Amino acid sequence: MPRTTADFERMLREAALRVTRPRVAVLSAVHDHPHADTDSIIGTVRGELPKVSRQAVYDVLHALSRTGLVRSIQPMGSVARYEARIGDNHHHIVCRSCGVITDVDCVVGAAPCLAESDTNGFTIDEAEVIFWGMCAACSPSPVPTTPNDPERNAGD
């Protein structure tokens, strides 16, 4: 169900953040564009608030991340990305070719999803896993073969 401005205002208040137009716009942009980078979020927010500064968006993203309203992820070799899916310890799949990022549910069961080999005295409450591969659009298509394919049957 799509979120409304009233939903975003309520979320900000519940996180003890003052409700401002930039905060509502940034929170809305992150909800509408999962895994967007800061420049993309700035572009989206400026569609609604043309005079918002880059620094204001950076500051809002920091505040939203600090209060847990959004999550920042940074796969190796990528700039920070932001998402609104929080609190479920899900993971990500990144395409090595085009860089698209998609969510994948927890590897096994509830957080932390994986059994560590040695906690080194830590109490583990979360696991961050990034799977790497090729998305469907970037994967080479397998060459279809038929039972009567002469090349396939050449060695028979």
Side-chain angles (χ1 to χ4, degrees):
M1 172 151 106
R3 303 274 184 160
T4 66
T5 298
D7 292 328
F8 296 130
E9 290 172 351
R10 179 188 46 75
M11 292 166 72
L12 290 166
R13 284 187 195 97
E14 287 174 357
L17 292 173
R18 193 167 43 91
V19 175
T20 65
R21 290 183 66 205
R23 285 181 175 163
V24 170
V26 170
L27 191 53
S28 175
V30 173
H31 274 264
D32 291 345
H33 306 283
H35 312 121
D37 62 16
T38 307
D39 286 340
S40 299
I41 293 169
I42 290 168
T44 299
V45 170
R46 283 186 174 163
E48 183 180 335
L49 303 172
K51 294 184 180 183
V52 72
S53 70
R54 292 180 67 79
Q55 189 60 51
V57 173
Y58 276 101
D59 291 346
V60 169
L61 286 169
H62 177 73
L64 296 177
S65 295
R66 181 177 37 81
T67 58
L69 289 176
V70 302
R71 178 179 176 196
S72 173
I73 62 167
Q74 191 166 3
M76 182 179 66
S78 175
V79 297
R81 308 292 183 123
Y82 297 89
E83 64 181 350
R85 184 175 170 184
I86 55 169
D88 66 351
N89 195 213
H90 70 279
H91 308 296
H92 298 94
I93 302 172
V94 180
C95 179
R96 289 186 186 280
S97 181
C98 70
V100 70
I101 301 171
T102 189
D103 292 337
V104 62
D105 287 331
C106 204
V107 178
V108 176
C113 304
L114 301 172
E116 65 289 334
S117 62
D118 183 357
T119 66
N120 292 308
F122 283 77
T123 301
I124 308 295
D125 63 4
E126 182 177 356
E128 184 173 319
V129 177
I130 298 178
F131 297 95
W132 294 85
M134 300 286 270
C135 69
C138 294
S139 292
S141 300
V143 178
T145 59
T146 62
N148 296 326
D149 185 344
E151 288 189 5
R152 184 173 159 234
N153 298 321
D156 293 345

